[in-house]
Amino acid sequence: MRWNLKALPESDKVKHLQEVLGVEKPIASLLVQRGIKTFEAAKNFFRPDINHLHNPFLMKGMQQAVNRIETAIHEEENIMVYGDYDVDGTTSVALMSSYLKTRTPQIASYIPDRYAEGYGVSYQGIDFAADNDISLIIALDCGIKAVDKVAYAAEKNIDFIICDHHRPGEKIPEAVAVLDPKQEDCNYPYKELCGCGVGFKLIQAIEEKRGNTVETLLPYLDLVATAIGADIVPITGENRILAYHGLHVINTLPRNGFKAIIAQTKKESLTITDVVFIIAPRINAAGRMKHGLHAVQLLTEENLEQALIYAQEIEQFNTDRRDTDKSITEEALQIIKETKEQERFTTVVYQENWHKGVIGIVASRLTETYYRPTLVFTKSGEKLAASARSVKGFDVYNALEACTEHIEQFGGHKYAAGLTLEQKNYESFKEKFEQVVAESIDKRLLTPEITADLEIDLNEITPKFYRILKQFAPFGPGNMAPLFLSRNLKDTGYAKPVGTDAQHLKCTVKQEQNQQFINAIGFGLGDRLDRIKEQPTFDALYNIDENHWNGNVSLQLKLKDLR
């Protein structure tokens, strides 16, 4: 990895925060690095206030959306809540449908089949609405590019409200209302909401119009926090407020679906990282292995016994998903080895029988291995479908946009996207994508970069220091867990490999100039054992966390890299 150390923040601002907050210099430095320079800003950071959310009516189209929904409820129209099959989509549908059911029974939930319909709004879904006398579709986490589909629905006298957060295309669908803060002419102050976040703003607007405050909607924030974590949106601004309060709901009064998942995992207090790695994969597994509606059923189930049954089914889907993605990853790595794919600027692999539900996970694993913009293709009906993942600093969405003559459709974000194309265009697309990336990527981006926030000595790591550090959570893009650098560390002789195949490193370290010992764990760093035993000292990049063992809790370093 390439190591970087952030520049030290301005000393007068650090000193000011030290004084007004009564904290140590490293804490004040971390806050200033995050743009927090006053007592008031620190208060809002450590205690995010639900009442500091923006006025939802600042979002373009919000008034029209609220009016149309109120009319539909008043006229007893049938409403379909439509969402994508991933975590953001299924939590969005669970949020919107369970909220609207408190106002009207005329609500149907619809998740497209990943295999039969593919991503986004489908003609099949619109036909289903027409056949069931549905006159309003609320699309969540999708729809911003569904120009033709929305026009098709209009021919059948079906109105659309779109709640999306993906980048719009050149043309915006002619829906009753399009809520997407990324529209160029939308003046909403915060642009980084996930799909479920946009859905939440819509129900916030409906509640405010009825004279209620946002506090009435707190029970829905467990869904929003899960979507924020799973969709890897920045945990800044409004997302920090929503995630902070949503985690509190998950840990104090979760809905039965979350209760049932948590019961299976035996976890007590969940962080946003636990949400990403424990709750989200299970919700995702339904759409990957079976159907996304299973996840919506679990998330909206009001009977705990039934929720526990759903959660067991989803646990099995998740086990199947893990086995499938492991075997496909091994196949893909073998293909790359045989074809010398690793010598290129991109990684593009295809096998027609790979499970479409896990190609995104496989793409992520290949990116971790070879650190290249990566595409994993499989057969989907008559077409090929792919998931794209990128490396830090490179916009894969823009790269795909430069290849549109070979693509049928695509959508997504800077670091993750999906696309379909005709099989006959696969090779020409592959070459064009390689050419675009080779010509536009800064070659340094092909080596992973790791940036430490601060250099500290081990003796600065105290229980009080860690107590305050914990309050920087929830962590995520825009507010990552602080990464520290310490130099001249020494193994105290207890270093050993741990885990299956000895892939992890466990050791106890001290710094030459002081006698404080601290335990450390390095996941995936088992191969560094000989090096730290042979070298007199080494430098380390690490996070700080707690180790719980046999009822004892101690601080430990979570090693990220050594040199």
Side-chain angles (χ1 to χ4, degrees):
M1 288 186 179
R2 289 180 289 132
W3 285 25
N4 276 334
L5 179 61
K6 284 183 187 172
L8 282 171
E10 297 165 61
S11 57
D12 56 331
K13 288 179 177 148
V14 172
K15 202 159 183 278
H16 171 70
L17 269 194
Q18 275 184 266
E19 287 166 5
V20 297
L21 297 177
V23 294
E24 295 145 327
K25 188 177 176 182
I27 295 288
S29 297
L30 290 168
L31 289 169
V32 175
Q33 279 179 340
R34 283 160 167 71
I36 296 152
K37 297 168 187 173
T38 65
F39 177 84
E40 194 60 29
K43 185 179 145 196
N44 291 335
F45 179 75
F46 286 121
R47 300 287 178 270
D49 188 339
I50 195 76
N51 293 303
H52 288 171
L53 293 175
H54 299 301
N55 176 352
F57 289 99
L58 294 172
M59 196 178 293
K60 186 190 176 199
M62 188 61 80
Q63 191 65 61
Q64 294 91 317
V66 172
N67 292 348
R68 182 64 186 88
I69 290 169
E70 289 295 348
T71 300
I73 292 169
H74 185 259
E75 301 292 331
E76 297 184 353
E77 293 178 56
N78 292 327
I79 302 171
M80 178 198 277
V81 180
Y82 187 112
D84 190 26
Y85 37 68
D86 68 4
V87 178
D88 196 9
T90 51
T91 52
S92 297
V93 170
L95 171 125
M96 187 60 65
S97 61
S98 57
Y99 170 76
L100 289 177
K101 278 177 185 171
T102 65
R103 303 280 312 281
T104 170
Q106 316 285 96
I107 303 296
S109 296
Y110 193 96
I111 304 281
D113 184 280
R114 184 187 283 265
Y115 309 102
E117 295 166 79
Y119 170 80
V121 178
S122 70
Y123 289 113
Q124 200 173 315
I126 295 165
D127 288 341
F128 176 88
D131 293 344
N132 288 278
D133 196 27
I134 286 161
S135 49
L136 175 62
I137 296 176
I138 303 171
L140 298 130
D141 189 36
C142 60
I144 193 64
K145 287 187 166 181
V147 176
D148 296 343
K149 315 275 176 43
V150 171
Y152 177 74
E155 289 169 14
K156 295 179 175 286
N157 296 318
I158 298 169
D159 286 340
F160 253 92
I161 292 170
I162 292 167
C163 301
D164 206 347
H165 69 121
H166 297 98
R167 288 196 220 174
E170 282 178 28
K171 200 174 174 199
I172 302 292
E174 291 185 17
V176 170
V178 177
L179 309 178
D180 186 336
K182 291 196 176 82
Q183 292 178 88
E184 275 184 20
D185 55 349
C186 178
N187 296 320
Y188 193 71
Y190 190 70
K191 303 290 182 186
E192 302 299 336
L193 294 167
C194 60
C196 193
V198 177
F200 182 81
K201 296 309 293 188
L202 177 51
I203 67 172
Q204 185 191 351
I206 295 168
E207 279 298 282
E208 285 191 8
K209 193 176 178 195
R210 299 177 70 209
N212 296 322
T213 66
V214 71
E215 271 99 346
T216 59
L217 299 173
L218 281 169
Y220 297 94
L221 288 181
D222 51 0
L223 294 167
V224 184
T226 302
I228 286 169
D231 226 50
I232 319 177
V233 290
I235 303 192
T236 56
E238 270 196 317
N239 281 343
R240 181 173 173 82
I241 298 171
L242 294 166
Y244 177 90
H245 289 280
L247 274 174
H248 183 69
V249 174
I250 289 171
N251 285 315
T252 55
L253 207 62
R255 64 191 51 236
N256 285 330
F258 284 140
K259 233 183 242 176
I261 293 173
I262 294 163
Q264 300 223 321
T265 62
K266 314 281 189 290
K267 261 281 189 183
E268 280 177 25
S269 181
L270 272 70
T271 64
I272 202 85
T273 306
D274 296 325
V275 169
V276 172
F277 290 105
I278 294 172
I279 292 182
R282 286 163 172 80
I283 295 171
N284 242 336
R288 291 185 190 284
M289 309 308 290
K290 195 81 174 171
H291 199 288
L293 267 176
H294 289 278
V296 176
Q297 279 176 329
L298 172 65
L299 295 173
T300 54
E301 180 53 57
E302 290 179 9
N303 178 297
L304 182 57
E305 282 178 26
Q306 187 59 51
L308 287 163
I309 293 166
Y310 289 148
Q312 279 172 344
E313 289 173 5
I314 279 178
E315 191 64 32
Q316 186 56 51
F317 295 151
N318 195 44
T319 303
D320 297 345
R321 186 272 307 163
R322 272 203 299 263
D323 295 343
T324 306
D325 91 56
K326 187 169 182 278
S327 66
I328 293 174
T329 301
E330 284 166 4
E331 282 180 46
L333 289 168
Q334 192 57 37
I335 290 170
I336 292 166
K337 215 170 167 184
E338 288 167 5
T339 58
K340 296 192 165 54
E341 193 78 23
Q342 70 268 35
E343 293 169 14
R344 295 162 65 92
F345 288 96
T346 61
T347 301
V348 182
V349 286
Y350 162 60
Q351 199 73 286
E352 67 171 34
N353 61 343
W354 282 344
H355 197 298
K356 191 180 171 190
V358 300
I359 56 174
I361 300 171
V362 174
S364 294
R365 301 215 195 288
L366 299 183
T367 308
E368 285 165 17
T369 307
Y370 288 109
Y371 215 68
R372 299 284 186 270
T374 298
L375 283 154
V376 178
F377 278 90
T378 187
K379 194 90 182 276
S380 179
E382 296 300 305
K383 307 272 181 2
L384 302 192
S387 269
R389 295 293 182 270
S390 194
V391 297
K392 187 181 174 187
F394 184 74
D395 193 325
V396 74
Y397 184 95
N398 285 349
L400 292 174
E401 208 158 36
C403 305
T404 44
E405 75 261 37
H406 307 292
I407 297 174
E408 187 171 86
Q409 65 179 71
F410 77 102
H413 309 279
K414 182 176 181 177
Y415 293 128
L419 68 141
T420 55
L421 48 74
E422 300 271 357
Q423 182 150 8
K424 62 182 184 190
N425 292 330
Y426 172 72
E427 288 299 337
S428 52
F429 165 78
K430 184 175 173 176
E431 289 315 309
K432 176 71 174 179
F433 184 65
E434 168 72 14
Q435 181 196 334
V436 167
V437 174
E439 288 171 2
S440 60
I441 197 165
D442 178 339
K443 307 305 177 275
R444 287 176 306 170
L445 299 182
L446 300 174
T447 305
E449 177 187 55
I450 187 162
T451 301
D453 294 272
L454 276 183
E455 182 175 342
I456 61 172
D457 289 337
L458 293 187
N459 61 7
E460 294 180 87
I461 303 169
T462 63
K464 182 192 173 190
F465 178 68
Y466 182 67
R467 270 198 309 277
I468 300 171
L469 213 54
K470 268 210 298 199
Q471 294 176 54
F472 278 56
F475 297 119
N479 183 49
M480 299 301 281
L483 189 68
F484 299 103
L485 163 65
S486 290
R487 300 184 197 271
N488 300 318
L489 302 184
K490 210 176 177 56
D491 168 43
T492 57
Y494 296 102
K496 61 178 181 181
V498 292
T500 324
D501 305 328
Q503 77 238 53
H504 311 310
L505 171 68
K506 195 166 176 46
C507 55
T508 304
V509 297
K510 67 176 214 170
Q511 215 161 12
E512 282 195 310
Q513 61 268 40
N514 67 65
Q515 290 307 304
Q516 181 171 329
F517 291 78
I518 190 163
N519 290 326
I521 181 83
F523 294 107
L525 298 180
D527 59 346
R528 312 290 179 91
L529 178 67
D530 292 340
R531 277 198 262 172
I532 70 164
K533 279 183 175 294
E534 289 161 10
Q535 298 296 326
T537 64
F538 60 93
D539 301 344
L541 291 180
Y542 57 88
N543 304 121
I544 304 167
D545 73 356
E546 286 174 324
N547 182 34
H548 295 252
W549 180 251
N550 281 347
N552 297 318
V553 182
S554 60
L555 294 180
Q556 69 174 0
L557 310 184
K558 204 167 167 187
L559 301 171
K560 295 298 177 186
D561 203 16
L562 308 173
R563 70 177 183 194

